[in-house]
Amino acid sequence: MTIALLWHGDREARNNADILETSRLEPTAEALRAVGFEAVPAVYHDDFAGEVKEQLFGVDGVLVWVNPTEKGGNRTRLDAMLREVAEAGVFVSAHPDTILKLGTKEVLFMTKEMSWGGDVSLYRTRAELQKRLPERLAAGEIRVLKQHRGDNGNGVWKVQKHPENPAQVRVRHAFRGSVEQDILWDDFLAQCEPYFAGAGRIIDQAYQERLSEGMVRCYLSQDRVVGFGHQAINALLEVPPGPRLYHSPDAPEFQNLKQKMENEWLGQLCELLELPKNALPIIWDIDLLLGPKDSSGADTYVLCEINVSSVYPFPDSALEPLARTLSRVQFAS
């Protein structure tokens, strides 16, 4: 069985015969070879999408690592190509339809009734945002707005009322290099306008007071936890970022979370999104913020986002389970 590892690159990268051996995906390729697969590189760019499509018609499966907004682009052409390849019988992970269900910020709203959910609203138009958000800010709430699709903090805003000027709001963009600023409410609305383009929308989530304690990333291979990452994040705070510390799925401090994820949340998530477990990606992750401690003093968790389209790096502990998961896939004959 031949598995293509697909990532974004230019013509030079695609023409480099040994690109896989020098790429960050080489450990993944080694893990696949260990269970009997042949791993081959498939460098993608819209400029030669047809060429890549012909290559993928000749493999049994493809694992995709493409940032949805790579260098200001989008996945429109890539997703169309992957759907065509999948319809021809090639196994694709993550399939574009799975990404649309799991990998947008709307999943926060869809799963808000789960115990990882909470106070989440959805604005489909600028008029909804203009009407409903000021009421929340006036009550003293701090909100986090997230555009429907985006990465690296782009389109994620911490918003609160201005302490003195009701015509302004105090905001901080999570995009790298941004700083807290006071801005006229009308000007902030104008900045949010592009997020509603097409089928766009904005998700409004309560700010988590324990943000300074970091974020826990739960790595999964389909419906099994394969590792954890813990990082002090600074996107919405005036603090420097900390390193991401990786842990195996057996790390004692995460066992309660592992049990919660595998035995409760994943089943609820698949049911709510009408997504069979075998459609879950071969490798993906769920980012969780720390919520208020419960009555026993234990941590609770709040969903931050789900990443399915370009999940790397991940802990070494995920490599063997990733390969074993793929070995259980029923490939087209």
Side-chain angles (χ1 to χ4, degrees), residues 217-228:
R217 175 165 287 179
C218 185
Y219 293 93
L220 301 110
S221 186
Q222 288 198 332
D223 62 346
R224 287 290 175 260
V225 174
V226 296
F228 296 96

Side-chain angles (χ1 to χ4, degrees), residues 49 156 179 206:
V156 177
V179 297

Side-chain angles (χ1 to χ4, degrees), residues 143-273:
R143 310 300 299 179
V144 177
L145 304 186
K146 301 179 178 182
Q147 67 166 320
H148 186 231
R149 298 193 76 167
D151 63 341
N152 295 321
N154 189 21
V156 177
W157 296 85
K158 176 185 176 183
V159 187
Q160 56 192 314
K161 71 177 181 180
H162 192 278
E164 299 174 354
N165 187 347
Q168 291 185 317
V169 287
R170 181 160 291 174
V171 302
R172 183 183 179 93
H173 195 192
F175 195 68
R176 180 171 297 182
S178 302
V179 297
E180 187 172 87
Q181 59 178 315
D182 296 333
I183 183 173
L184 288 171
W185 168 241
D186 288 343
D187 290 343
F188 179 66
L189 282 175
Q191 288 199 37
C192 294
E193 183 78 36
Y195 305 150
F196 295 109
R201 61 213 70 179
I202 289 178
I203 286 75
D204 172 6
Q205 185 178 31
Y207 177 79
Q208 299 302 313
E209 296 296 337
R210 297 180 66 193
L211 185 62
S212 61
E213 297 178 51
M215 179 183 71
V216 177
R217 175 165 287 179
C218 185
Y219 293 93
L220 301 110
S221 186
Q222 288 198 332
D223 62 346
R224 287 290 175 260
V225 174
V226 296
F228 296 96
H230 187 204
Q231 181 181 28
I233 54 177
N234 76 326
L236 297 176
L237 298 170
E238 296 284 353
V239 295
R244 177 171 290 131
L245 304 177
Y246 292 104
H247 304 270
S248 77
D250 300 322
E253 62 267 41
F254 296 114
Q255 289 311 292
N256 288 341
L257 174 57
K258 181 176 184 289
Q259 293 299 316
K260 191 86 168 174
M261 184 64 69
E262 292 184 342
N263 298 331
E264 178 184 339
W265 286 337
L266 287 178
Q268 293 175 353
L269 177 67
C270 288
E271 182 177 357
L272 284 168
L273 300 184

